[in-house]
């Protein structure tokens, strides 16, 4: 009686089973599967029992099986364990352990860099009355500058008659006056506030939730030199000894004067050129990262500190961007960081 393709497939399947079970000893494998009367040849012989129109497909199945057998035999020849001995000096297989998310790694590192120079890490509410992220920072109600921080407002029963509505904080600057209050308006203040921030913007370069870190120093005789020195120090610690920073005039309501802060590019070392070509990673050797400035007298006053006696500087920028710049990453889509895609996250 002529055989069917199903029957042949069943036989191949059970032969594969046997192959897996006995796949350790080369001599035995060769005898059982590849010898003249081994399984491969026996099955090949069955081709003749099939109807001619089935033979092509059956032949392909058998060839694939033969290749699999040959592959296993080749593996057995090179594997010490299968050849009957074990090399105990071989390095072990590393278990796949979890690790800290890249953004958390960056937060830890940034914290340590500032703690070493006397800053104290604090964390202030991520849901706050609008007085802290706006009014106290010299941005009165209805001032158009507020629009730049596309803020989520909470529909809440806790509206405070003096502090205003509740918002998801759009920047970590809400920590400035809160820190002055915590220290009972008595400098010196050296804080680093790291927290989540929220803005109504989501595209390839923005996530609605992101992280910022905010530095604030208030004391007698604080000048722009202290600000520049601190930013330079951070650049060297975080990006390496060759890294530089530069500040460019800008405008923020809560600082006077205000600056934008740039770091030199880690790919071209700030030269703007790689192997004679324009660096594709940065703008002429620099990356824009955030803002900074000398604390506005009105902000000190909001924290009950006398601006005649004390001065201060502040700075703030995004953790995600600061971190990806160091890795020399131009992320096509920043949302990848929060996608939970292990293939991406495992790389850090
Ligand atoms: N809070 C600003 C922002 O989110 C950044 C910033 C600018 C922070 C100047 C500061 C500063 O402390 O002094 O865009």
């Amino acid at each position: 009686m002529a055989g069917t393709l199903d029957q042949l497939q069943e036989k191949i399947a059970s032969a594969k089973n046997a192959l897996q079970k006995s796949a350790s000893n080369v001599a035995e494998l060769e005898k059982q599967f590849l010898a003249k009367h081994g399984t491969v040849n026996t099955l090949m012989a069955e081709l003749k029992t099939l109807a001619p129109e089935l033979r092509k497909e059956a032949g392909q199945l058998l060839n694939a099986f033969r290749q699999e057998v040959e592959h296993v035999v080749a593996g057995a020849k090179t594997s010490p364990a299968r050849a009957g001995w074990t090399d105990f000096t071989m390095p072990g297989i590393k278990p796949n352990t979890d690790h800290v998310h890249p953004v958390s790694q960056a937060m830890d590192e940034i914290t340590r860099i500032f703690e070493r120079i006397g800053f104290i890490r604090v964390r202030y509410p991520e849901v706050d009355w609008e007085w802290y992220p706006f009014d106290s920072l010299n941005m009165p109600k209805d001032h158009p500058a507020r629009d730049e921080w596309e803020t989520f407002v909470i529909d809440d029963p806790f509206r405070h008659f003096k502090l205003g509505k509740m918002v998801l904080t759009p920047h970590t600057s809400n920590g400035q006056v809160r820190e002055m209050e915590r220290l009972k308006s008595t400098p010196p203040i050296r804080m680093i506030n790291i927290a989540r921030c929220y803005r109504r913007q989501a595209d390839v370069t923005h996530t609605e939730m992101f992280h910022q870190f905010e530095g604030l120093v208030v004391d007698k005789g604080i000048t722009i030199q202290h600000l520049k020195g601190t930013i330079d120090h951070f650049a060297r610690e975080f990006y390496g000894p060759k890294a530089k920073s530069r500040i460019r005039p800008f405008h923020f309501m809560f600082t006077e004067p205000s600056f934008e802060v740039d770091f030199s590019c880690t790919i071209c070392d700030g030269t703007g050129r790689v192997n004679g070509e324009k660096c594709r990673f940065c703008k002429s050797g620099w990356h824009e990262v955030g803002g900074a400035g000398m604390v506005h007298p009105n902000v000190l006053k909001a924290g009950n500190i006398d601006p005649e006696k004390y001065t201060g500087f502040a700075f703030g920028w995004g953790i995600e961007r600061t971190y990806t710049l160091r890795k020399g990453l131009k992320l096509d889509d920043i949302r990848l960081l929060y996608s939970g895609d292990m293939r991406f996250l495992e790389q850090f």
Side-chain angles (χ1 to χ4, degrees), residues 20 23-26 29 71-73 75-85:
Q20 288 311 322
S24 62
N25 187 306
V26 179
L29 277 171
H71 182 74
V72 171
V73 172
K77 279 183 181 158
T78 52
S79 154
R82 285 182 174 177
W85 58 278

Side-chain angles (χ1 to χ4, degrees), residues 149 170-171 173 176 199 212 214-215 252 254-255 259 291-293 314-316:
W149 282 269
H171 56 174
S173 305
Q176 294 195 13
R199 291 189 197 174
Q212 278 191 342
E214 181 93 9
F252 292 104
F254 34 95
T255 40
F259 308 100
F315 57 86

